Amino acid sequence: MRHRTLLLLLAVLLAMPAARAITLDQKIAEGDAAYERHDYDAAIGYYRSVRDDYRHGLVHPRMGDAMNWAGNASMNTGHYVEALEYYTAGAELARQSRNSRLYRDLLSNIGIVFGIFRDFERAAYYFDRAYAEARQQRDTYLMSIAITNLAAAYCRLGDTDKALPLIELQQQNPLPQPGLQTFFLSYNRALAALSTGDAHGAIYNLQQALSAIDEHALASTYRTDVYNALGEAYTQLGQLDKAIGYYRLTTAIGIGGHAQEQLRDAYEGLEHLYMLKEERDSALTSQSQYIALTDSFFNQRRFNAAKDGLMKLEEQMESDSRQTLTTQITRQWLVIAVISLLLVVVVAFAVAVWRTGRNLRSAHRMLMRKHDELVRQQEETNQLRDTYLSALHKDDLTPDPAPRESTPEGFALSQERREQLLKDIVEVMEQTDIIAAPDFNLHTLAKLAGSNTKYVSTVINDTYQKNFKTLLNEYRIREACRRFADHEHYGNMTIQGIASDLGYNSTNGFITAFKKIIGMTPSVYIRLLKESANN
């Protein structure tokens, strides 16, 4: 009897995985059905359970597609962070199953999420990868999507040298839906015009985009994109009331809908416009609406956590690729080593000793040059500031019978106010905890300096012969160099950690800025520091 009971228990245990697998299959089927009927909340509920099963070790052939659809459903309901988490899980499953079609689709979707969070550099990175994968596999549909999104990302980055050729390529690789092709082509042309200050050209193309929406009955979210862009265009033209009107049209459509990204941008635009019109109460209302929406749908802390998960996956994928390549190379070298092991060891040792000594000396000299260059840059910055202040004093002391000519666009400040504004700017820029905030921008600096963006930007340009973004990068990169050298306090921090602490949402953006200012990547700089210390 006891043996019979044990056999029955064993039979039950053997049957459990099959029952669980059927349940998983049903969850995916129910989730797909809910998605097809646009019941996105229900679909997410099923897909979330599928993801939990995956975390517990269960697999299914369609699990990767389910995670992709779960991400799409989350995007449609404004849950952007959760969408990135689903896309990351889908990418891992696509890698495991070697599903290149799903993987390139997920790359494009991940780029869209980064674009929503305004990390356009990272968005462009993923769109470019999606385009390369699609082109290699001759996937014309995804090629057209990736080109369209990549062009928009470069427009938002202000890089029209890359955006305009992509817009031409977009015309040569049309989307299969004529209405969407007409809309996105007109919309991207408008973005390119906005990035070059051609507001009239932007308005013309945006009117074409609105016609495409009406003619092809496109979704209302496309209309909010156009209204926000028209708000930008009329702001450039100084027609503030018209700009406010278009942003208000977005809020009328977006409230209660799924256009959370567009609604956020509209509230931010309204706050800026009301500040320009000195309507403080309206500005504060728009600001509170912007903050509430950002906290609910665009929580930066949760987004950073989701990005960390994606970065870990990519690091693992890169590690696997390196491991495979290393294994192949190792096998080849083993054959060579058997033939001439002793000679290779002796020669390698001699070369290593020689190179080590040379590299240490070179590293020390290079590091000293970079240190001297940083000191020189700081001295030049201080000299430019002192020269500017001296010039202001000289202008004060020199009589000028003719009326003083104001700078372009009506810029007119007293010399005393210019001098004080410059001191306020320097005081803010030298406070690392302030400039290291991810959302620190020209608007923030102007607010802290008690002025506006036009005056602050002009004083910076006149004083340092550079724009605000370049000046901010120099301050941040100098602080990064200091932290890299301070092993006691920052030795355990990664490059990504220091970049994040100094306000860079994108590690790639930090590396690009570091290399532009220092002349080498952060990893090379750190290696030189270590070699110099060992020497």
Side-chain angles (χ1 to χ4, degrees):
M1 184 67 181
R2 182 180 178 185
H3 293 295
R4 187 176 181 183
T5 303
L6 289 174
L7 288 172
L8 287 172
L9 287 172
L10 181 60
V12 171
L13 290 172
L14 289 174
M16 283 180 65
R20 190 76 178 275
I22 293 172
T23 303
L24 176 57
D25 189 71
Q26 290 174 343
K27 290 176 185 177
I28 294 175
E30 291 293 338
D32 293 349
Y35 186 91
E36 290 291 349
R37 63 176 182 267
H38 305 297
D39 188 356
Y40 298 123
D41 290 328
I44 291 171
Y46 287 113
Y47 291 140
R48 186 179 292 119
S49 182
V50 172
R51 184 178 63 182
D52 291 339
D53 288 340
Y54 169 62
R55 289 172 174 173
H56 286 93
L58 294 180
V59 293
H60 188 280
R62 288 209 62 255
M63 193 175 271
D65 287 298
M67 293 299 95
N68 191 23
W69 283 33
N72 294 341
S74 298
M75 291 284 282
N76 286 328
T77 55
H79 297 95
Y80 306 117
V81 174
E82 192 170 9
L84 181 58
E85 293 170 348
Y86 281 123
Y87 290 146
T88 300
E92 184 174 16
L93 286 159
R95 177 180 66 88
Q96 293 172 356
S97 61
R98 301 180 184 275
N99 189 335
S100 59
R101 182 228 15 114
L102 175 61
Y103 184 66
R104 58 181 177 267
D105 194 19
L106 286 160
L107 286 174
S108 181
N109 289 340
I110 289 170
I112 292 172
V113 177
F114 277 95
I116 287 173
F117 280 87
R118 298 174 179 172
D119 187 349
F120 297 112
E121 289 185 2
R122 198 68 181 168
Y125 166 76
Y126 283 107
F127 292 142
D128 193 43
R129 285 180 59 186
Y131 173 65
E133 292 273 344
R135 186 177 181 183
Q136 184 179 4
Q137 299 297 324
R138 297 182 180 179
D139 184 344
T140 55
Y141 175 67
L142 188 58
M143 277 176 60
S144 60
I145 293 175
I147 292 168
T148 298
N149 289 327
L150 188 57
Y154 280 125
C155 286
R156 286 303 185 186
L157 287 168
D159 192 346
T160 52
D161 290 338
K162 291 182 179 178
L164 292 177
L166 283 167
I167 291 174
E168 292 302 316
L169 194 60
Q170 178 185 351
Q171 192 168 9
Q172 298 166 18
N173 296 268
L175 293 165
Q177 305 92 332
L180 288 178
Q181 171 64 11
T182 303
F183 170 80
F184 280 114
L185 192 59
S186 300
Y187 183 70
N188 280 350
R189 284 171 175 166
L191 292 183
L194 282 173
S195 67
T196 59
D198 181 12
H200 291 292
I203 291 170
Y204 171 79
N205 283 290
L206 291 169
Q207 294 297 338
Q208 299 298 311
L210 282 176
S211 297
I213 293 171
D214 293 333
E215 182 179 349
H216 298 276
L218 300 182
S220 60
T221 52
Y222 296 120
R223 191 176 297 275
T224 58
D225 285 324
V226 174
Y227 288 157
N228 281 349
L230 284 167
E232 289 184 52
Y234 282 110
T235 300
Q236 285 187 8
L237 293 174
Q239 299 181 30
L240 306 188
D241 289 332
K242 267 195 173 183
I244 289 172
Y246 279 111
Y247 283 130
R248 281 298 181 196
L249 287 174
T250 293
T251 61
I253 296 174
I255 294 175
H258 301 315
Q260 306 304 329
E261 173 195 3
Q262 295 86 348
L263 196 57
R264 172 200 62 187
D265 296 343
Y267 285 142
E268 187 176 36
L270 286 169
E271 179 194 357
H272 173 64
L273 290 168
Y274 284 131
M275 288 293 290
L276 292 177
K277 289 170 66 67
E278 297 184 354
E279 295 181 14
R280 182 175 177 80
D281 290 342
S282 297
L284 289 174
T285 299
S286 298
Q287 182 187 61
S288 65
Q289 291 168 323
Y290 168 78
I291 292 172
L293 194 65
T294 301
D295 289 342
S296 299
F297 295 94
F298 305 93
N299 187 285
Q300 193 65 43
R301 182 181 58 79
R302 286 192 60 212
F303 179 59
N304 288 337
K307 282 197 301 184
D308 288 342
L310 178 61
M311 293 296 292
K312 288 177 182 177
L313 172 63
E314 293 195 336
E315 287 172 1
Q316 182 60 48
M317 294 172 64
E318 186 177 348
S319 176
D320 292 345
S321 299
R322 284 198 305 266
Q323 184 63 39
T324 301
L325 182 61
T326 301
T327 302
Q328 295 173 350
I329 294 173
T330 301
R331 289 174 180 172
Q332 295 172 356
W333 276 103
L334 282 174
V335 175
I336 299 173
V338 171
I339 300 173
S340 54
L341 179 61
L342 182 61
L343 178 61
V344 170
V345 170
V346 172
V347 172
F349 180 78
V351 171
V353 170
W354 176 76
R355 285 183 175 176
T356 299
R358 184 192 65 178
N359 289 342
L360 284 174
R361 292 189 296 271
S362 175
H364 183 70
R365 289 194 299 270
M366 183 177 292
L367 203 59
M368 291 301 296
R369 285 198 301 271
K370 289 301 173 184
H371 177 267
D372 293 340
E373 185 175 343
L374 282 174
V375 172
R376 179 181 57 78
Q377 288 178 356
Q378 184 63 45
E379 290 174 351
E380 287 179 356
T381 298
N382 293 337
Q383 184 178 359
L384 285 170
R385 184 183 64 201
D386 294 339
T387 301
Y388 182 75
L389 291 174
S390 298
L392 290 177
H393 286 300
K394 184 177 179 181
D395 287 345
D396 276 340
L397 296 173
T398 303
D400 185 2
R404 187 179 299 275
E405 182 180 352
S406 63
T407 57
E409 299 184 9
F411 181 87
L413 278 176
S414 68
Q415 307 296 351
E416 179 182 356
R417 177 61 185 133
R418 290 192 189 199
E419 180 178 348
Q420 183 58 48
L421 180 55
L422 177 57
K423 290 178 180 178
D424 292 340
I425 291 170
V426 172
E427 182 179 350
V428 173
M429 296 299 292
E430 288 180 350
Q431 297 182 57
T432 303
D433 57 335
I434 292 178
I435 66 171
D439 57 351
F440 181 80
N441 54 27
L442 182 60
H443 181 70
T444 306
L445 175 58
K447 186 179 294 184
L448 292 174
S451 184
N452 59 48
T453 55
K454 183 187 294 185
Y455 288 169
V456 169
S457 178
T458 303
V459 167
I460 289 174
N461 291 337
D462 290 347
T463 306
Y464 302 109
Q465 284 77 57
K466 62 189 66 170
N467 60 28
F468 163 77
K469 184 176 180 181
T470 301
L471 183 65
L472 175 60
N473 277 330
E474 289 179 358
Y475 271 89
R476 285 178 170 177
I477 297 304
R478 278 200 292 269
E479 175 62 18
C481 290
R482 186 190 71 78
R483 294 188 181 188
F484 287 145
D486 188 356
H487 188 75
E488 179 181 354
H489 296 96
Y490 300 95
N492 293 327
M493 291 192 69
T494 63
I495 292 174
Q496 181 183 355
I498 287 180
S500 179
D501 277 358
L502 291 176
Y504 289 93
N505 291 326
S506 164
T507 305
N508 283 350
F510 171 71
I511 293 173
T512 300
F514 193 99
K515 187 173 182 181
K516 183 176 181 180
I517 293 170
I518 303 300
M520 64 183 77
T521 63
S523 58
V524 173
Y525 185 82
I526 293 170
R527 179 171 59 80
L528 292 178
L529 279 173
K530 291 180 179 178
E531 291 177 356
S532 179
N534 292 335
N535 190 36

